[in-house]
Amino acid sequence: MTILDMGLSLLVLLPVWMLSALVLHQIQRFMHFVCSLMHSLLQVSYTSWFLDAFNYAIATNMDVLNLSIGGPDYLDLPFVEKIWEITANNIIMVSAIGNDGPLYGTLNNPADQSDVIGVGGIDYSDHIASFSSRGMSTWELPHGYGRVKPDVVAYGRDIMGSKISSGCKSLSGTSVASPVVAGVVCLLVSVIPEPDRKNLLNPASMKQALVEGAAKLAGPNMYEQGAGRVDLLESYEILKSYKPRASIFPSLLDYSDCPYAWPFCRQPLYAGAMPVIFNASILNGMGVIGYVESPPIWHPFEEVGNLLSIHFTYSEIIWPWTGYLAIHLQIKEEGAQFSGNIEGNVTLRVSSPPAQGEKRPRVSTCVLQLKLKVVPTPPRAKRILWDQFHNIKYPPGYIPRDSLDVRNDILDWHGDHLHTNFHIMFNMLRDTGYYVETLGSPLTCFDARHYGTLLLVDLEEEYFPEEIEKLRDDVINTGLGLAVFAEWYNVDTMVKMRFFDDNTRSWWTPVTGGANNPALNDLLAPFGIAFGDKILSGDFSLFGEENRYASGTDIVRFPRGGYVHSFAFSDSSESGATQNVLLTSSTTKADSPILGLTVMGEGRIAVYGDSNCLDSSHMVTNCFTLLRKMLDFTSENVRDPVLFSKSNKQVAPLYEDDNQLPSRRTDVNFSSYSAVVGKDLICRTDSRFEIWGTKGYILQVRGRNRRLPGYPVIDLGNGLNSTFDASNIRRRKVTLRNKDDSLGNRYLGLFYGDEPDAPMLVGSHWLIPAVVAATGILLLSFWRIRQKRRRRRKGSSSSGRLTNL
């Protein structure tokens, strides 16, 4: 048997024979590598090279293929589709998950594909290697939730291997762990009698044997270790009696199993929350193609399980060998005060065409067991809503890094999700007592009465006009808190960051900055707040802590009466930044406003110009203390004396003309990367079930009474289109505005007139109706006076003249 091993610098042909007494640690030390050079000395590779090698593997009926290389571009369709072709031809592919750990959301392709066995690395103490990439997969973001990866882990630190010339050397990396698993796969293949191999063994059945036989490690979570450490003997026992079947991985979601079930075990379910999504993989060992015969079914073990409202999205057609099953979990309204556990099974029936010599289709029932924890609905002030919808990541476009000080990672590709590169912040908020939910749909798709604060961090997307209008109403009239963390945005810098990509033979240029500040400024225009285009860096002290401001921006508009904090930073926007070097010459230090807090009607707003202090990807220092203080203010109106010092109160508003605000790039087709520009506003399957397929909560129909899940009857306002038929939804598409059409002009008089102040914005809600009412009264008075005069004239003329009838 031969295994094709494509490594970071090697093309390895690895003969492996079944040895009855061979155990895993012997494989790691004694496998012999016959090597030939694959890459150039500069470690440059092209997609076409791999396509040629994959075609060779298909043509020669290769059994197992190891790929110790990968990258973040899961939208490289020629590559991805060739991987599907490889596995569809019954070649078992094993691939390294990547060496971008300990960061989360750093899975490499193709190891992140469900039809590939993705391998992470551990050391000899069964600790996850620091270099091993972590999940979850990010294909599904922002509208869904990632899959569990890696599938298994194997020893990948200080592994002895052969040199190309002679002798041995110590190797580390998931590129080493992956061929270890590939060797295990070859040994397991050789266990099956050759006449039965093609009937029993395939990418799905081999993954079933590996994940079901793996030993779960104590300590790491599922997105660090997958099913656990690969176990050759246990997998061998599974394959000895294996019958083709379908299964679900992971087969259990247990909220009591912490830390393995992180992040689910960190936050229980409760009524009124956004759906919690768990995305599992369907492994179909019965055939390369399969079908889900009917929708999944929830089987609660006890009556209390009926409090769970569960919906499913899934692959109706399973190909090649694998699919997905996403479960969307909500607690029903009547469970608002329930505290306890809910257990049950989800079953899914899968069928595949009959194999050669069989007459009937193969059928199998998959089971996913749920053990869920439920608590009473928390108070509004303790609930935070994270905006995931307005995040854009690489791929599909050149989305640049947030910190320009980082030169070896030019792309923003970690997902920007609570459970990827913001996972440390998520854990901190949970430790503080906050409940954090995720919104993967537009801002019209949540009800502000549920939440203390909407948290907007490092967002690159545009906004629908309905979102801007609704957020204004949510803050001013509903009392929603708003916390915003922006990023750098400078068109000249973006232009200088472009580079020529040898693989695609094209120029790459950033489609936006670290954040899309022009779009953020449109969103914040009703509140008189705007960010500038400076790129600020430096150190400062706040709350007795040293903080790093890493390529953040400045605040250029803020209403009178708010509190603004300024610090002396270097501005690198004048000298610009290149892809490899951030110039620091010719920079000057001056006080720049970076933090602002203000009351706006019933709500409160806090804005900050940098998000790197929350992002674990390139964090120098964290600003979790500042975040907690901001949330205390926006959610509960608790005012820290440092933030609300009289010396920081704005006597006059900050104001910069529209033509000085950051402008959008005119040379980029942003609609190619946007879920807003040129698209329809619609609430997707990550919003609450009752508004799936609608435009969400609409302002015009608020005022109707409806009971909120988890709350007593209040004036909610249904605000919903009841139909789920997308054709009946009034659709409205967004186009990008030019600078002259800035929303700031619409609200200019409210903040920057003769007496600018925030309360004027609140006054506008009764001022217009009052003017209309006064005008109506005057018109009515004039009409009555005129009618009286007409009656008088009519009476005098009728007394002196007869009328012919």
Side-chain angles (χ1 to χ4, degrees), residues 395-452:
Y398 180 4
I399 309 300
R401 62 194 183 276
D402 296 326
S403 175
L404 296 178
D405 294 323
V406 178
R407 300 176 178 87
N408 60 354
D409 193 2
I410 67 171
L411 300 171
D412 187 355
W413 63 283
H414 299 165
D416 285 349
H417 192 278
L418 283 170
H419 304 151
T420 56
N421 49 313
F422 288 96
H423 71 282
I424 298 177
M425 183 199 73
F426 168 76
N427 288 335
M428 180 278 297
L429 291 175
R430 288 296 299 126
D431 291 338
T432 309
Y434 286 105
Y435 293 79
V436 193
E437 303 170 31
T438 303
L439 176 66
S441 290
L443 299 181
T444 59
C445 303
F446 80 98
D447 193 292
R449 291 170 176 81
H450 282 83
Y451 302 97

Side-chain angles (χ1 to χ4, degrees), residues 68-198:
S68 288
I69 196 169
D73 188 2
Y74 53 78
L75 291 182
D76 184 0
L77 292 184
F79 186 91
V80 171
E81 291 175 351
K82 184 60 69 172
I83 297 297
W84 289 338
E85 184 182 348
I86 283 274
T87 57
N89 277 274
N90 208 18
I91 297 175
I92 300 171
M93 174 172 278
V94 184
S95 184
I97 206 72
N99 298 327
D100 295 294
L103 305 179
Y104 280 62
T106 55
L107 304 177
N108 279 230
N109 180 263
D112 61 350
Q113 295 185 210
S114 58
D115 55 324
V116 174
I117 299 170
V119 181
I122 58 174
D123 60 25
Y124 287 118
S125 298
D126 283 347
H127 298 142
I128 301 296
S130 59
F131 55 75
S132 186
S133 290
R134 274 68 165 169
M136 58 186 172
S137 65
T138 57
W139 292 42
E140 299 80 5
L141 301 178
H143 306 302
Y145 196 81
R147 289 165 287 109
V148 174
K149 282 280 184 172
D151 296 300
V152 292
V153 292
Y155 296 121
R157 185 184 289 280
D158 299 327
I159 306 301
M160 297 305 297
S162 59
K163 295 181 180 179
I164 295 178
S165 55
S166 62
C168 297
K169 66 177 179 180
S170 176
L171 301 169
S172 295
T174 57
S175 297
V176 182
S178 183
V180 169
V181 173
V184 170
V185 169
C186 287
L187 291 172
L188 293 173
V189 168
S190 65
V191 170
I192 307 299
E194 193 165 347
D196 299 330
R197 285 179 186 172
K198 288 298 182 182

Side-chain angles (χ1 to χ4, degrees), residues 401-619:
R401 62 194 183 276
D402 296 326
S403 175
L404 296 178
D405 294 323
V406 178
R407 300 176 178 87
N408 60 354
D409 193 2
I410 67 171
L411 300 171
D412 187 355
W413 63 283
H414 299 165
D416 285 349
H417 192 278
L418 283 170
H419 304 151
T420 56
N421 49 313
F422 288 96
H423 71 282
I424 298 177
M425 183 199 73
F426 168 76
N427 288 335
M428 180 278 297
L429 291 175
R430 288 296 299 126
D431 291 338
T432 309
Y434 286 105
Y435 293 79
V436 193
E437 303 170 31
T438 303
L439 176 66
S441 290
L443 299 181
T444 59
C445 303
F446 80 98
D447 193 292
R449 291 170 176 81
H450 282 83
Y451 302 97
T453 296
L454 174 65
L455 185 55
L456 310 180
V457 179
D458 184 22
L459 301 179
E460 296 87 3
E461 185 59 275
E462 293 288 332
Y463 299 88
F464 290 102
E466 293 92 336
E467 294 183 280
I468 298 174
E469 180 185 4
K470 177 179 178 294
L471 183 62
R472 177 181 184 273
D473 183 77
D474 286 343
V475 172
I476 296 171
N477 294 329
T478 312
L480 176 70
L482 183 62
V484 182
F485 286 76
E487 266 300 336
W488 69 271
Y489 184 96
N490 184 275
V491 173
D492 292 336
T493 296
M494 285 185 270
V495 171
K496 293 178 181 179
M497 291 174 69
R498 75 172 191 154
F499 68 94
F500 187 78
D501 179 40
D502 288 328
N503 199 36
T504 60
R505 309 299 299 173
S506 62
W507 283 97
W508 280 46
T509 184
V511 300
T512 185
N516 189 346
N517 288 354
L520 269 178
N521 289 345
D522 282 350
L523 185 70
L524 299 175
F527 313 117
I529 299 173
F531 292 104
D533 63 356
K534 290 183 179 179
I535 302 178
L536 303 175
S537 297
D539 300 316
F540 68 101
S541 179
L542 191 63
F543 307 115
E545 300 176 349
E546 291 299 318
N547 296 273
R548 176 68 180 174
Y549 203 72
S551 305
T553 191
D554 59 331
I555 300 172
V556 295
R557 283 184 179 176
F558 209 76
R560 180 167 67 90
Y563 294 79
V564 174
H565 295 256
S566 301
F567 299 92
F569 294 130
S570 299
D571 176 15
S572 63
S573 59
E574 294 180 3
S575 55
T578 65
Q579 180 173 312
N580 297 317
V581 179
L582 175 65
L583 300 179
T584 57
S585 60
S586 303
T587 58
T588 57
K589 280 195 173 184
D591 281 351
S592 298
I594 62 168
L595 171 64
L597 306 99
T598 188
V599 175
M600 197 63 60
E602 297 294 322
R604 293 164 293 276
I605 300 176
V607 297
Y608 187 66
D610 184 27
S611 69
N612 282 284
C613 54
L614 302 178
D615 185 343
S616 59
S617 293
H618 305 299
M619 182 188 295

Side-chain angles (χ1 to χ4, degrees), residues 270-469:
Y270 49 87
M274 289 290 171
V276 171
I277 304 174
F278 179 65
N279 196 356
S281 296
I282 302 172
L283 307 178
N284 180 26
M286 300 183 296
V288 64
I289 189 169
Y291 306 92
V292 176
E293 290 191 335
S294 58
I297 301 174
W298 162 238
H299 307 274
F301 290 166
E302 299 178 352
E303 184 68 24
V304 72
N306 292 320
L307 291 176
L308 179 66
S309 179
I310 184 168
H311 286 63
F312 307 94
T313 51
Y314 54 90
S315 307
E316 295 184 3
I317 299 177
I318 301 170
W319 184 91
W321 308 104
T322 60
Y324 72 92
L325 170 63
I327 58 173
H328 306 248
L329 306 171
Q330 284 184 192
I331 299 300
K332 295 178 181 178
E333 181 180 344
E334 52 266 34
Q337 301 304 320
F338 175 75
S339 179
N341 299 317
I342 291 178
E343 296 187 27
N345 289 336
V346 172
T347 58
L348 181 74
R349 188 175 172 88
V350 176
S351 66
S352 283
Q356 187 175 2
E358 298 178 348
K359 295 181 178 180
R360 295 183 177 180
R362 293 179 168 184
V363 179
S364 180
T365 299
C366 309
V367 178
L368 170 62
Q369 187 176 356
L370 300 180
K371 296 182 179 180
L372 311 174
K373 182 179 180 181
V374 183
V375 297
T377 302
R380 177 188 184 185
K382 290 299 182 183
R383 295 177 60 182
I384 307 298
L385 186 63
W386 170 271
D387 181 4
Q388 187 66 37
F389 176 78
H390 293 95
N391 166 263
I392 303 177
K393 65 183 184 308
Y394 170 86
Y398 180 4
I399 309 300
R401 62 194 183 276
D402 296 326
S403 175
L404 296 178
D405 294 323
V406 178
R407 300 176 178 87
N408 60 354
D409 193 2
I410 67 171
L411 300 171
D412 187 355
W413 63 283
H414 299 165
D416 285 349
H417 192 278
L418 283 170
H419 304 151
T420 56
N421 49 313
F422 288 96
H423 71 282
I424 298 177
M425 183 199 73
F426 168 76
N427 288 335
M428 180 278 297
L429 291 175
R430 288 296 299 126
D431 291 338
T432 309
Y434 286 105
Y435 293 79
V436 193
E437 303 170 31
T438 303
L439 176 66
S441 290
L443 299 181
T444 59
C445 303
F446 80 98
D447 193 292
R449 291 170 176 81
H450 282 83
Y451 302 97
T453 296
L454 174 65
L455 185 55
L456 310 180
V457 179
D458 184 22
L459 301 179
E460 296 87 3
E461 185 59 275
E462 293 288 332
Y463 299 88
F464 290 102
E466 293 92 336
E467 294 183 280
I468 298 174
E469 180 185 4

